[in-house]
């Protein structure tokens, strides 16, 4: 995905009437959505597993001027897993 594809893709989906868009992807997609300020809600699962260090193959190309603040909206726990939902809160 290029630097301009994420905003165009989201705008196209919104033009077609889709107001709730669920994206699942890896760090590249997440980076693009964050850089273009396209995330309203984030669901995060914490699993009780230790995997060790992971190789970093991508270079940091763009950092945010300021971190985006999210608010914890919901927490579930099941068999030592934590399921977290964060949102931007009211706009």
């Amino acid at each position: 995905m290029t630097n301009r594809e994420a905003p165009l893709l989201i705008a196209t989906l919104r033009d077609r009437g889709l107001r709730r868009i669920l994206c699942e992807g890896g760090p590249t997609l997440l980076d693009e959505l964050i850089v273009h300020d396209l995330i309203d809600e984030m669901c995060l699962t914490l699993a009780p597993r230790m995997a060790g260090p992971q190789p970093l193959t991508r270079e940091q190309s763009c950092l945010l001027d300021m971190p985006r603040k999210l608010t914890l909206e919901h927490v579930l726990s099941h068999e030592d897993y934590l399921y977290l939902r964060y949102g931007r809160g009211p706009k």
Side-chain angles (χ1 to χ4, degrees):
M1 178 177 296
T2 66
N3 194 25
R4 297 176 188 217
E5 288 179 359
L8 179 60
L9 178 61
I10 299 297
T12 301
L13 292 172
R14 287 182 177 156
D15 287 346
R16 294 181 182 186
L18 299 169
R19 299 289 174 240
R20 292 177 183 242
I21 303 165
L22 172 65
C23 293
E24 294 186 25
T28 303
L29 175 61
L30 181 60
D31 286 351
E32 289 300 315
L33 295 173
I34 290 172
V35 165
H36 294 289
D37 200 22
L38 295 171
I39 296 178
D40 294 321
E41 181 178 279
M42 180 174 66
C43 296
L44 177 68
T45 301
L46 296 178
R49 305 286 185 264
M50 301 287 250
Q54 302 298 312
L56 299 176
T57 57
R58 296 180 331 113
E59 60 183 66
Q60 287 284 29
S61 60
C62 182
L63 298 176
L64 296 175
D65 294 335
M66 294 278 293
R68 307 290 193 257
K69 180 171 175 25
L70 298 174
T71 303
L72 182 62
E73 295 180 350
H74 196 79
V75 177
L76 291 175
S77 174
H78 180 69
E79 295 182 2
D80 295 327
Y81 285 75
L82 275 178
Y83 302 92
L84 310 168
R85 186 177 77 206
Y86 290 89
R88 289 187 158 210
K91 288 187 176 186

